[in-house]
Amino acid sequence: MNHHQLNISYSYIVNFYLKRILQVFSSREAVFEWAKAIGRQNGILIVTIRSDKANGIRGRKDKLILGCERGGRYKSESKKSVTCSHKENCPFTLRCVPLSVGEGWKISVRCGTHNHELLDTVTGHSYLGRLNEEERKFVNDMTKYKLAPRFILNALKVRNETNVTIPSQIYKARSTYRSSLRGPYTEMQHLLKLIQQENYVHWTRRRENSDILRDIFWTHPDCIKLLNTFHFVLICDSTYKTNRYRLPLLEIVGVTSTSLTFSVGFAYLEKERQDNFIWAFEKVRMLFKSESLISKVIVTDRDLAMMNAISVVFPTSIHLLCRFHIEKNVGARCKQYVKKDRQEEVMDLWKKIVYSTSVEEYDHHLQQFEILCADIILFVDYVKDSWLTPYKERFVNVWTNRVMHLGNTTSNRVESAHWRLKNMLQTSFGDLCKSWDAVNMMLKNQICIIQSSFQKTIKDVEHGYNSQFFQNLHHCVSRKCMKLIDNQLERVKIVGTNKTECGCSIRTTHGLPCACELAKLQINGNAIPLDSIHDFWKQLSIAHELEDEESLSDYDFSEELEAMKAYMKTHDIISQRIFKAKVREVVFPHTTSILAPPEEVRTKGAGKKKKEFDTPRDPSYWEYVDASQESAKARQPSQSSQRSARQQSQSSQHSFKTQFPTYIRPYIEDIVDVVADGNCGFRAIAALLGWTEESWALVRSQLDKEIGLHKDVYSNVFDDNVESVRNSLKISKLGAQGKDKWMSLPDLGYVIATLYNVILVSLSRNLNMTFFPLNKSPSKETFVHSLIAIGFVNENHWVQIKLKSDCPLPPTSQKWKDFCSDTAKGWEVAYAALSFIMN
C-alpha cells in the first residue's frame, strides 16, 4: 500500500473515531446516509454488508455492518467468463449498533484501510448514478411528453448539481417505464386498450386465415365532429418511415373555416394496393353523419391504386390531382430533355397552360408549347400522354375553377401534417403504440389550436376590416374569409363591374363574392350581405351533434341481443366459447388475439447506423434530378482536369482504333466516345446529326414513328420482325438500358439512313456495312449530313467515327470491297456512291 492510500485510510479512522465519540445518530437510516456521504467525498462507495433487526426471536438484535463496494470476491461459475468484476476483497468495515443507554445509534471502525486506488470522480458510477424516486418520476413524465433523453439528463443536472447520472441510465429508466405501462399485454392489446381509454373510433382486419394484423384505422371523436362540420374537401396521401414494421401510413386531412388543417383519420395498411385503400376509404365514409355530407372534392397525388379506390368508394366526389407534384415532375423531365437556355421559357409556357382560365386560352397555350418543343418530341409526348390528355380536368384552372375546392389544389396540407407527425415520432423504429401516442399528442395540440382560432374570430375584429363595408361579417365569418374578400377588393380597381374580366372564379371555388359583385355593392353603397357568404365560412365551432332522436332508434340492440342468446342455446360448448371470444373482443378490445405484423428482417449487407431523427421522407424523383444538376454544376472541370480529359480521350481513341482492321485505320480522322449506358448507339447518331448527345431519346422516338408509318416497307427488310424491332426502341425508364434495348444493325441501319437521308457506315473488327436510304438519293449540297460513320468496339459499345474527307480512295481490293459492301445493293453501288460524295 502506497503512502497516499495510508494517508487516506488514516483520515478515515480519525474521522470515524471522532464522529463515534462526538455524534449520535438518530436512526439506522441516518447512520447509513452519513457513511455514504463521507465515502463519496473521499472517492469510495459505502454499501451494506450485513444487517439484522431485533424481532423478539432469540439471537436476533439490531446491527448494521457497512463496507466498501469493492469488498469480497466475485465467484464465477465459468472458467472462461467474459464478464468483469470490480471486487478486490477490500477490508474496509464499519459496525453500527444502537446505544446501550438511551435512543440512537453509534458507529465504530473495524478496519479503516483500503487495498485499492480511490476514485478521482464518481461520474458514471452504476450505483451513485441511480435515479431516486423523485428523479424517476420526473424521467417518466418527460418520457410521456416526448422529451429527448439528452434534454432529460440536462434537466436532471440543473435540478441537482451533484447528479452523476449518465445517458445509458436515462435510456434504461425510459425502457423500464414503457414496459411497466404495457404490463402483461401484447403490443396490439396494449394499443387497443389505449385507443379505448381515449374513446377513439377504430377498425382492424386480419390477414386471411391468420391473427396477424393486416390494416388498422383510427380517428379521434373530435376529428369526426370536425369532418362533419367541414366536410367539403379531403386531402389524402401516404407517408413512410413511421414504424418498425415499415407499414405505409395513409393520412387524411381536411380544412377548417379558419384555414387550419385538421386530421380526419389514420390508417396503417399492409400494402398500398387498391383493396387496402378501398377498405380505409370505406371507414372514412362511415364517419359521415349522412350521405349529403360526403366530401365534394378529394385531392391526392397520382397514386393509381388510391385513385381507383376513390372512384369506387366516392363515385360522386370530384377528384383533383396535386398541381405541385405535377409541376415538379414536368420540371424534372424538362431538365433532362431541354437545353438549359430554353428550360425557363418552356416551364413558363407550361404554367400558362396549367393556369389557363378558358378552353380557348388552354388550346392556344398548348399549341404554342407544341411549336416551342417541336424538336423535343419525347418531352411533348410525356407531357401530353402522362398529364394533359388523361388528367387535364383534374389540375388545369379552366376545369378546377368549376368546383368548390376552397383553394386546395395541392396536397401540401397533408404533407405538412406528415411533417408534424414525424416531429412527434422522432424515430422510425417505434411500434404501433408509439405511433398512436404521437398521433394522440398531435391531435390534442391540433384541436386546441383550432378552438383558439375560432375564439379569436368570435372575440376580435381586425382593424383592416373595421369599415362599414364589412360590418355584417364581424364575429360571423372567419378572418380567412375576410382576407380573401379583401384580396378581391384589390381586383375591383382593375376589373370593376366587368364580369368577363373578373372571371368570378372565387364564387365557385370558395363560395365568396367576386370582384364584380363587390364593385356593384360599393357603387350602391351597400355592405357585404352575410347571405352572400357560403355556410362553410360561418362555421366557428367543432360542437357538432352527431345524433338526433330519430337516429337513436337505429341503434336499438334488442333484436341482436335476442339473436345472440338464441345462438348460444342452439350450439355446442366449443361454438359458444368461440362466439363469446369474438363478442368479448368487440366489448373489451384489449383482449384481442390480433398480433402485430412481423418485422422485416434484413438478411444481407451491413446494418445501417440508426440516426437519432430518422423519419424524414425519401427524396422525390424531381429532387434527385435537381441534386444531380447541382452536383454536375459543382463539378465544372478546371484547366488541368480538361487537359487530363484530352489526354484520356487520346488514349481511348488509340485503344478504339485498334478495334478496326488495319486497312481502315488510315481513313479514320477521329473517334469520339459517348456515354456507355445502353443508349450509346442512339447517342452517337444524335451527335453525328448535329444534335447533342442527350437527344438520344428523340432518335429512339423518331425511329419508332418512322417504322410505324412505313410498316409495309420495313416488314420486307426485317423479315416480318417489325414489332420486335419497335420494342427494342421503346423504353420504360431513363438511365442504363438492357441488352435487348441496344441499337442493333443491320435492322436499324436502313431506318436511320432512310429517315435522316444519310449514308450510314458501320465499322467493326469483323463486319463492315454501308446503308443507303431506301427511297431517297443523297444530296451533295448537304454533305455534312450525307455520310455518317459509327463504330462498334469491345463487342458492347458504339462510338462516333469521323472519316477523312481529303484521303484518296483506295484501289478496288477485295478488303475494300468488303469494307464498302452492302448486302442489299452490292459493294459496287457503295463504292460508286462514295466516289460521288467524296469527289
Side-chain angles (χ1 to χ4, degrees), residues 570-590:
T570 57
H571 286 74
D572 57 37
I573 186 63
I574 301 300
S575 299
Q576 291 179 13
R577 188 181 301 164
I578 295 172
F579 181 75
K580 182 179 179 180
K582 290 181 179 179
V583 174
R584 187 172 178 81
E585 276 195 26
V586 175
V587 181
F588 306 108
H590 61 274

Side-chain angles (χ1 to χ4, degrees), residues 4-125:
H4 173 72
Q5 289 176 325
L6 289 174
N7 286 342
I8 294 293
S9 302
Y10 179 75
S11 67
Y12 259 84
I13 295 172
V14 174
N15 203 3
F16 279 116
Y17 181 76
L18 293 176
K19 288 291 182 182
R20 178 177 66 83
I21 296 174
L22 300 177
Q23 183 174 349
V24 174
F25 299 95
S26 60
S27 64
R28 174 196 299 262
E29 290 74 19
V31 174
F32 181 66
E33 290 299 324
W34 173 82
K36 187 168 67 172
I38 294 296
R40 183 172 180 175
Q41 292 174 10
N42 291 274
I44 65 168
L45 176 65
I46 302 298
V47 297
T48 301
I49 297 177
R50 287 190 301 276
S51 177
D52 196 6
K53 287 187 177 181
N55 54 6
I57 300 176
R58 183 178 178 181
R60 302 288 298 274
K61 55 184 179 181
D62 291 324
K63 67 177 179 179
L64 181 65
I65 307 299
L66 304 178
C68 176
E69 65 163 342
R70 304 183 74 171
R73 291 283 188 187
Y74 176 72
K75 297 179 181 180
S76 175
E77 297 179 359
S78 173
K79 295 181 180 179
K80 296 182 179 180
S81 175
V82 295
T83 59
C84 59
S85 173
H86 61 270
K87 292 184 178 297
E88 295 188 12
N89 203 23
C90 179
F92 183 83
T93 312
L94 303 176
R95 184 173 184 272
C96 310
V97 295
L99 294 175
S100 56
V101 179
E103 295 183 356
W105 285 66
K106 63 180 180 179
I107 189 169
S108 61
V109 180
R110 281 188 172 182
C111 178
T113 61
H114 298 273
N115 63 354
H116 55 83
E117 290 285 347
L118 305 184
L119 298 175
D120 294 329
T121 176
V122 293
T123 301
H125 195 284

Side-chain angles (χ1 to χ4, degrees), residues 16 214 224-225 346 390 436 514 647 664 670 759:
F16 279 116
R214 183 180 181 185
I224 301 176
K225 293 180 181 180
V346 170
W436 178 87
C514 59
Q647 294 170 358
I664 292 177
D670 193 12
I759 298 173

